Amino acid sequence: MGCNRKPNKKSKSKSSTACQPSKSYAEARKGVSETIRQHGKSQNTTGNYEGYVRRGKEFLAMFANEGEAANGDIDDGDGDRGAESPDDADNGMDPCFREAFDGPPIKCTPIAIAMFMGYKCIDENLGKSTASGIQAAFLEYYSKLAGDKYRGLWRYDEIRQEWLGNPVRSAEVEDMLEACKNKDGEGERTHSRAMTIQDMKRLYEYIRDNCPDDNGKDGLTVEQIAERGQSLLFNAFASTGFTLWTRNCETTVLRYKDFEFAPNRREGSPENDHGPCWFRVNLRNRKNWQKRMKNGETQLSGHCYKIYQQPKNPEVDMYARLLDWLEFYEKYLLGRPLEPTDFIFPNIGATGVSVHAKKEMSANKAQKMISEMANRANVRGAMHFTTHCFRRGGAQYRFMFAPIGQRWTLARIRWWGGWAKGEHRDTLIRYLLDELYTYEEDHSDALCPFDHQVSLSHAGEHAEIKPLTAAESRALFTEQSLVLEQRFRQLTSLLEPLYARQGMLNHASLIGPGIYPPAQAQQIGSTFTGAIPQPSNIHPSSGVLVNNTYLNSSNILMAGDGIDKGSDTCRKNSRPNTSKRAPSLQNPTHIVPEISRALGAEAWEQVIKDWEEADPLRSLHVALKDWHPDWHKQNKESAKYGQRRLIATEFIIQYSRDKDRFQADYPEHKFGITRMLRAIRSRRQAQGTCLRRESRRTRDQNDSNRNSGDNHE
């Protein structure tokens, strides 16, 4: 009874629907083959493979025709196509050679593939990549014939009297492939040069300095729109590739629908959180996603990226650079908001303002744009940037060259770059580890005084955080000592004429007590050469040597002490001085500083500066405008002081600090302050604001006339 129970209608309906075939067996099987053909490889790869096979058939037909014409008619045999044993001797062309690529493989198929490979790589002198492409194309072509019959090692089945396996796995094809790879020797590495962070900075700075500004007032001309659009487009394109590690062909196909922004693109985020601003980008066309799907990596966020601001690195700030471009794109080129199907990087006409939003920028145009911009910015190796330049540069930066603490782990590198867990190890080595190995095993700087020992840590990271060694300390202080000695010599040369003229202070007292040993201090006079005593000339008990300067531990000049506060040793070691006692720094001698002739046309500006500002290095401890009258009278420099005051007041009061008008009225400033002083006096005398000073001869003559008049009376 239970076995005869009728199913309910609902179950019966589902069962009948599930069992109804939608296609015939032949159609379903054909659909399986078609699906494998369309989606087994990417469309680009499938197209390239089909091209190799098509050109191989064309080559075979051409070669067979030429061979038949040269050798005459060839007997077609008994019609048993390709069933000969491999031991059969055949010095001529196989009768079935023309059909080697038609249908299932035959005996002569491997030699035909090898000949086609040799023709392209040897006769046409193409590279080893062509040989690899031919090998991969025919391997795929025969692997899809008759299930798995033509997969595996190429061999002749004596029992079935037929050839099995893949002809690409034959000795002829493998040997020819190896020969084509080795024909040009080792060769140079030709993969894309990585766009480094330094290159990105140079490009960004060049564009920043040369891009026309959008002031929003007078608008932009057509030429300025084209130039600014090119600059913003490149900045967005470069920062996108460097941040997302996309190939150029992947960057150009990004559409507006691939991005998810906040309602106001520059504020907030798509999820309306309260954190920093960001937007989301979905890389649907990244090359490696097919391999990730094949390996079971189907997480929903696997190809979505959140892009945040990077204000500290504006050259790679995709957030800011992309939004700048989109605003310009909509405002000046489209004149409307972007639609979901519009390309982010569209095809732009030769004028720079005609845009085709529904057509992406071609790969050739992107390559040309990168090369031209790199040449303009004087970036090294501009012609070696190709489709992988931003991808390699961004990946290497995050793995090796980012600041310490900002470098990424290999797991994050693999995820961000879209590499599947089962990705061939050579891929990551090519992008990351090969460069790292080159860096860590590079001994080109073996002659460097410091051993960086980059092989001891990841990218030589330990060198940035290890403590200072004793050898490095000695080298550092040696370099410091050389710099200090040079500065000391310069200071001495500046002070020597001053104190020699004043006759008030010799070098031993100027330098201070204890700087030199007693024996050497007695030998120092006004003709001091600035030589620093060497360690071999100093007795250990006399003092210590710090940075090549001798210091006596018992008589070190302390900061703030006056020069005349030294002990008797200081006066004893000094040259006898018949002039009055040298003034201390607390009560300095006031002198009008000299103006160097080397200043030329700028000498008058130094006069103004001395009038308003002190300059202790030139013994001007108080600005001239604040001097007490007794100071220049005591030093008998009243005349010089008056000259400086005349120039300063003329500029400050009469011309109200108008430099251009002052120099225009007194072109004599080009020849120094003496001729300028004469010009100022002449002008003031003409205006009646300055009395004319009589010369000595005129005064003597006037006195003589007065005396003679008195005697006559």
Side-chain angles (χ1 to χ4, degrees), residues 98-99 145 150 198 228 309 375-376 397 491 507 649:
R98 180 188 293 274
E99 306 171 6
L145 293 179
Y150 299 111
Q198 290 78 15
R228 181 170 176 81
Q309 293 175 306
N375 278 321
R376 291 182 192 176
Y397 172 72
L491 180 60
H507 284 284
T649 55

Side-chain angles (χ1 to χ4, degrees), residues 656-670:
S656 301
R657 301 181 184 273
D658 190 339
K659 181 177 179 181
D660 294 336
R661 189 162 63 93
F662 183 75
Q663 291 181 338
D665 289 350
Y666 295 110
E668 295 83 0
H669 76 279
K670 300 177 182 178

Side-chain angles (χ1 to χ4, degrees), residues 280-473:
R280 182 183 288 110
V281 57
N282 191 337
L283 288 183
R284 295 180 172 88
N285 296 308
R286 191 190 278 279
K287 176 181 176 182
N288 295 83
W289 290 123
Q290 291 181 350
K291 289 186 177 181
R292 296 188 64 139
M293 294 289 291
K294 185 184 298 184
N295 293 332
E297 297 184 66
T298 57
Q299 63 268 28
L300 295 177
S301 61
H303 52 296
C304 292
Y305 300 83
K306 294 181 179 179
I307 305 303
Y308 291 85
Q309 293 175 306
Q310 300 183 65
K312 294 183 179 180
N313 298 304
E315 63 277 359
V316 294
D317 187 359
M318 176 184 170
Y319 182 93
R321 303 289 80 79
L322 186 68
L323 293 182
D324 290 342
W325 161 242
L326 293 182
E327 291 177 359
F328 181 89
Y329 186 11
E330 292 177 335
K331 179 178 179 181
Y332 289 99
L333 301 181
L334 285 180
R336 61 169 175 82
L338 282 162
E339 298 176 355
T341 56
D342 289 339
F343 284 99
I344 296 295
F345 304 106
N347 183 32
I348 300 178
T351 61
V353 294
S354 59
V355 60
H356 306 280
K358 303 299 182 183
K359 183 179 180 181
E360 76 275 15
M361 178 193 300
S362 66
N364 290 336
K365 184 171 288 189
Q367 179 62 51
K368 183 179 179 181
M369 176 183 66
I370 295 171
S371 300
E372 288 181 353
M373 198 63 71
N375 278 321
R376 291 182 192 176
N378 294 323
V379 175
R380 180 178 59 87
M383 301 309 297
H384 297 288
F385 293 129
T386 57
T387 184
H388 285 240
C389 61
F390 296 114
R391 179 171 171 82
R392 296 188 68 235
Q396 290 179 9
Y397 172 72
R398 286 298 177 185
F399 187 64
M400 295 183 291
F401 303 122
I404 296 177
Q406 300 181 22
R407 299 173 187 175
W408 290 358
T409 63
L410 194 59
R412 178 170 291 182
I413 293 289
R414 185 197 65 80
W415 189 97
W416 194 268
W419 288 290
K421 292 182 178 179
E423 187 77 38
H424 196 277
R425 62 182 180 277
D426 290 345
T427 304
L428 283 177
I429 290 175
R430 186 180 302 113
Y431 279 87
L432 304 172
L433 303 182
D434 193 22
E435 296 287 339
L436 179 60
Y437 177 82
T438 301
Y439 174 74
E440 293 185 348
E441 297 300 325
D442 181 17
H443 301 283
S444 60
D445 62 344
L447 296 177
C448 178
F450 304 105
D451 184 10
H452 297 289
Q453 294 180 322
V454 294
S455 60
L456 295 183
S457 65
H458 172 58
E461 199 172 89
H462 81 288
E464 300 293 333
I465 58 177
K466 71 176 183 179
L468 192 68
T469 64
E472 290 171 339
S473 301

Side-chain angles (χ1 to χ4, degrees), residues 10-22:
K10 188 175 181 179
S11 301
K12 182 177 180 180
S13 176
K14 288 184 178 181
S15 177
S16 61
T17 302
C19 294
Q20 289 179 356
S22 59

Side-chain angles (χ1 to χ4, degrees), residues 71-135:
N71 300 328
D73 296 334
I74 299 177
D75 185 14
D76 291 338
D78 57 0
D80 188 7
R81 181 180 182 272
E84 296 86 351
S85 169
D87 297 331
D88 295 340
D90 187 4
N91 295 325
M93 186 169 63
D94 192 293
C96 301
F97 186 77
R98 180 188 293 274
E99 306 171 6
F101 293 160
D102 297 334
I106 58 177
K107 173 188 174 182
C108 59
T109 299
I111 192 63
I113 298 174
M115 291 172 63
F116 176 54
M117 194 180 293
Y119 170 75
K120 302 299 287 185
C121 297
I122 305 299
D123 296 348
E124 295 187 356
N125 197 31
L126 298 180
K128 57 185 179 181
S129 60
T130 301
S132 299
I134 294 173
Q135 184 255 4

